Amino acid sequence: MFIVSKDKKAIINTDSTTVIYVGSDGITIKADFKNGRGCQLGRYDSLEECKKALEMMAKEMGKTDIFQMPESAAIKAEIVKNETCWHHATGKKTKGHGGS
């Protein structure tokens, strides 16, 4: 599989990588190569976004030949989509206690 970096300035062949990971700063995703070098695949706003981007990449491995590192907006939308909304079993709002 090939990975296109978020800034679209690099294409990485995963056959030549040893590991893909969240950097020590918590906001970058990096890849290390067999020759000892490495590169940054993307920079995000938070550790949560980095983890989600890494999860999205892992889900696509084996399914596609080329993976484009997702933009921050796409990751934020995915995070919001996966947040659980709690509603009453009947679909109505739950009755509040107190208030005006």
Side-chain angles (χ1 to χ4, degrees):
M1 180 169 100
F2 292 93
I3 300 171
V4 179
S5 64
K6 184 179 174 190
D7 63 6
K8 298 174 181 70
K9 293 183 179 179
I11 298 175
I12 293 89
N13 183 348
T14 57
D15 291 341
S16 62
T17 60
T18 56
V19 65
I20 297 173
Y21 60 98
V22 175
S24 60
D25 58 6
I27 59 170
T28 57
I29 295 181
K30 298 182 176 186
D32 286 347
F33 301 106
K34 294 175 184 175
N35 65 5
R37 294 182 178 223
C39 75
Q40 179 177 298
L41 298 175
R43 178 179 292 273
Y44 296 96
D45 295 331
S46 67
L47 177 60
E48 183 182 18
E49 287 183 27
C50 276
K51 288 179 178 180
K52 180 56 80 174
L54 206 56
E55 178 186 321
M56 291 167 75
M57 182 191 312
K59 285 181 180 178
E60 292 301 313
M61 286 189 168
K63 295 180 184 177
T64 184
D65 292 332
I66 300 172
F67 178 78
Q68 167 70 51
M69 291 301 292
E71 296 293 327
S72 294
I75 291 178
K76 288 176 183 173
E78 187 72 20
I79 290 170
V80 169
K81 183 178 90 172
N82 290 335
E83 288 180 354
T84 305
C85 287
W86 294 95
H87 294 284
H88 192 271
T90 62
K92 297 180 180 180
K93 290 183 179 179
T94 55
K95 191 174 197 178
H97 299 282
S100 54

